[in-house]
Amino acid sequence: MFAAIARVFRTPDLRRKLLFTLAIIAIYRLGVYIPAPGVDYSNVQQCLAAGNTTGGLYQFVNLFSGGALLQVSIFAMGIMPYITASIIVQLLRVVIPRFEELHKEGQSGQAILTQYTRYLTIALGLLQATTLVSLARSGMLFPACDLPIVPDDSIFVIVLMIFTLTAGTGLIMWMGELATERGVGNGMSLLIFVSIASGFPSAMGAIATSQGWGVFTGVILIGVAVIALVVFVEQSQRRIPVQYAKRMIGRRTVGGTSTYIPIKVNMAGVIPVIFASSMLALPSMLVQFNTGSDGTLPGWAMWVQTNFSGSSPLYMATYTLLTIGFTYFYVAITFNPTEVADNMKQYGGFIPGIRAGRPTAAYLEYIISRITFPGALYLAFVALIPLVAFVLINADQNFPFGGTSILIMVGVGLETVKQINAQMQQRHYEGLLR
Amino acid sequence: MDVIKLVLQILLGITSLLLTMLILLHKGRGGGMSDMFGGGMTTSLGSSGVAERNLNRVTVVLGLIWAAVIIGLGLVMRFSIES
């Protein structure tokens, strides 16, 4: 293992890529600690120390930005606008026929779609920056803290802050793209990985100090078990055998090989969980907006607050159902059996025992819907871990080992190691992991 | 002190706008969401032309100026509070 790591650094090409990625990550983390202009840094720190943030959606977004959001730093938006933009563009494929056309066009169409995503990212970044700055200005960001976060709130400074935060969003996006292009792994997902991982030590420390070392050890053990489970399920796939007919193209024989279509148990990744939790954050946001100035709540808001806050059974049930529903929805969007069947037919491939064309599509659809069921249950289970932990040991909502964070961490980690492996096998035949 | 602050603020506004524009000029890499968490093949063609390389350089320089101006503004603010 260690010899393999040493070998990674002895390969000049790979070393350059790794160092580039590390440099990008370092710049990103550095930017998280630079406050946006106009923000009083010491006041923000005092408010942060006082705790009691608004929770809910902010907590979730804060997780993705690695704590930058609540510090109102120049990278406060983090990678979230890009994630939202790419989800929106992907979903619009179902709604707008032109997007679907572009997607099918191959490389050039994809490039145009990516360009749309980038414009949308800047637009969303502008929107979210405006929201954040107005929240910070009115003191809504830290309701329990009455120190002014933005001391000089003239319109000029406010506009300047919004511009700076938007430029920060763009810069993060570009850094992610650079890391994808010249570094190891996918830059965007690595930046998310770093943001989430940076919250780990403090979360673990909080558990250790508030719950004692016994609970701490328990949490670590559960964490290792969950990671093992996630790795196991992420790697498991069903292989549908495909036989390609031998053909003559010119003077060459093509095909005649047998391969397989790998169908992962969890094809949807973490996105259903992200969807479900952001959907469920909406009711509590509504409550927040409807809270009167003296802290009283209308009747329905009371009901929502008791039934849709973290640990209530109704919340958990809705969360599970939404996650399962979104898993099916997302798999249906990303994997199109008819398209795959048509492609196979075009290149003379068939699944042994199944006729090409429509029977193949039906067969693929049958397999997909069956294999997605355990995948959806697994996703719901992993997503519920932090909620259950919340009840059992009174942990923070951002319980480190569970839900979105663990899925993203493991997913990104596996992907990156796989890419390093592939790079190494070009030279040495022996990868980082066997 | 106020003059320095104003100059820096105007500079920051200009660089922020320029930086956003320049970043949008770049060709996007990576294919979005399915690429990020779903795995899949990223075929990054490493052929970036001269224009792209110059654009990279300009963006990096502008980014550095942007960061320096922000840090400068922070310092100005810090010292103006203390004095």
Side-chain angles (χ1 to χ4, degrees):
Chain A
M1 177 84 193
F2 288 105
I5 290 176
R7 210 160 47 230
V8 168
F9 277 95
R10 240 177 287 133
T11 319
D13 187 29
L14 203 50
R15 181 178 56 214
R16 207 169 51 237
K17 284 185 171 177
L18 269 180
L19 288 181
F20 186 82
T21 314
L22 286 179
I24 290 277
I25 288 173
I27 295 173
Y28 175 64
R29 283 308 293 170
L30 193 70
V32 166
Y33 289 102
I34 300 177
V39 170
D40 193 317
Y41 186 67
S42 50
N43 280 359
V44 168
Q45 290 305 318
Q46 277 176 39
C47 283
L48 267 182
N52 194 11
T53 49
T54 36
L57 192 61
Y58 303 118
Q59 207 92 71
F60 187 64
V61 180
N62 197 34
L63 174 75
F64 272 98
S65 64
L69 180 79
L70 289 181
Q71 292 190 5
V72 202
S73 71
I74 52 172
F75 287 164
M77 307 284 91
I79 203 84
M80 205 59 187
Y82 188 82
I83 298 177
T84 324
S86 40
I87 291 178
I88 290 175
V89 167
Q90 197 169 28
L91 289 185
L92 279 184
R93 251 166 50 201
V94 187
V95 186
I96 304 178
R98 171 162 163 74
F99 278 38
E100 183 62 39
E101 252 169 58
L102 282 174
H103 176 70
K104 279 192 183 146
E105 233 168 59
Q107 200 111 57
S108 62
Q110 291 279 357
I112 296 174
L113 274 187
T114 312
Q115 209 56 276
Y116 286 166
T117 312
R118 291 160 57 85
Y119 292 135
L120 196 59
T121 305
I122 296 293
L124 285 177
L126 192 64
L127 202 71
Q128 290 186 13
T130 316
T131 318
L132 177 69
V133 169
S134 56
L135 276 180
R137 184 186 168 197
S138 65
M140 284 273 282
L141 198 60
F142 301 101
C145 177
D146 50 0
L147 291 168
I149 297 174
V150 187
D152 172 20
D153 61 347
S154 63
I155 192 78
F156 178 61
V157 174
I158 295 294
V159 169
L160 197 67
M161 277 174 77
I162 293 172
F163 278 175
T164 315
L165 288 182
T166 312
T169 313
L171 199 63
I172 293 176
M173 179 172 77
W174 187 56
M175 272 163 39
E177 282 166 2
L178 274 184
T180 310
E181 196 183 337
R182 294 195 196 159
V184 179
N186 185 303
M188 301 290 179
S189 30
L190 269 179
L191 289 185
I192 299 175
F193 177 90
V194 170
S195 312
I196 293 175
S198 67
F200 260 51
S202 62
M204 296 310 294
I207 288 178
T209 47
S210 65
Q211 309 280 333
W213 291 96
V215 177
F216 180 76
T217 331
V219 168
I220 294 274
L221 285 180
I222 293 174
V224 171
V226 171
I227 289 179
L229 171 80
V230 172
V231 170
F232 179 70
V233 179
E234 291 294 320
Q235 297 290 69
S236 37
Q237 57 188 19
R238 166 155 186 185
R239 297 176 171 179
I240 302 175
V242 178
Q243 186 76 40
Y244 277 96
K246 239 183 206 156
R247 297 188 298 168
M248 295 289 282
I249 297 179
R251 295 174 55 200
R252 276 184 306 146
T253 330
V254 177
T257 50
S258 74
T259 54
Y260 54 86
I261 310 175
I263 301 218
K264 281 170 74 178
V265 173
N266 171 25
M267 218 166 15
V270 277
I271 298 164
V273 184
I274 297 182
F275 277 6
S277 40
S278 32
M279 285 292 254
L280 278 180
L282 286 181
S284 52
M285 245 172 85
L286 264 181
V287 168
Q288 242 169 58
F289 286 135
N290 277 295
T291 308
S293 50
D294 49 348
T296 51
L297 288 167
W300 62 269
M302 273 306 241
W303 186 84
V304 168
Q305 201 176 36
T306 42
N307 285 305
F308 273 97
S309 58
S311 50
S312 74
L314 186 62
Y315 182 85
M316 286 195 194
T318 324
Y319 196 35
T320 316
L321 285 181
L322 272 181
T323 310
I324 293 175
F326 276 130
T327 313
Y328 271 98
F329 174 70
Y330 197 72
V331 167
I333 287 181
T334 45
F335 189 89
N336 185 353
T338 321
E339 209 180 295
V340 175
D342 279 352
N343 266 337
M344 266 163 46
K345 197 167 71 180
Q346 249 172 24
Y347 292 103
F350 60 92
I351 301 168
I354 312 280
R355 286 171 65 180
R358 203 180 311 157
T360 306
Y363 179 67
L364 283 177
E365 200 164 315
Y366 169 67
I367 287 183
I368 289 280
S369 56
R370 235 178 25 161
I371 207 172
T372 305
F373 186 63
L377 286 187
Y378 144 83
L379 265 186
F381 172 71
V382 176
L384 273 183
I385 290 175
L387 294 185
V388 174
F390 187 71
V391 179
L392 285 184
I393 62 165
N394 269 328
D396 193 43
Q397 179 82 58
N398 293 328
F399 179 69
F401 291 115
T404 9
S405 36
I406 208 90
L407 280 171
I408 292 177
M409 302 244 333
V410 172
V412 175
L414 277 178
E415 195 55 40
T416 311
V417 168
K418 258 186 217 160
Q419 283 209 12
I420 298 178
N421 250 1
Q423 296 264 346
M424 283 185 68
Q425 274 161 357
Q426 286 178 353
R427 294 160 193 279
H428 293 298
Y429 298 107
E430 246 181 77
L432 194 62
L433 295 175
R434 251 160 286 172
Chain B
M1 218 41 155
D2 277 346
V3 178
I4 302 176
K5 198 174 162 188
L6 195 66
V7 168
L8 280 180
Q9 276 175 340
I10 291 170
L11 200 62
L12 180 61
I14 296 169
T15 43
S16 293
L17 280 180
L18 273 180
L19 194 62
T20 316
M21 302 280 172
L22 275 181
I23 284 166
L24 281 182
L25 275 180
H26 281 275
K27 228 185 293 162
R29 307 268 165 183
M33 210 58 196
S34 52
D35 222 37
M36 281 162 75
F37 302 122
M41 292 303 197
T42 331
T43 44
S44 56
L45 299 165
S47 63
S48 51
V50 179
E52 184 85 15
R53 213 166 22 192
N54 279 336
L55 196 58
N56 271 351
R57 254 178 228 154
V58 174
T59 317
V60 166
V61 170
L62 203 63
L64 285 179
I65 296 174
W66 182 73
V69 170
I70 284 175
I71 292 171
L73 258 182
L75 286 178
V76 167
M77 200 164 140
R78 180 84 207 206
F79 285 121
S80 62
I81 285 173
E82 270 174 21
S83 59

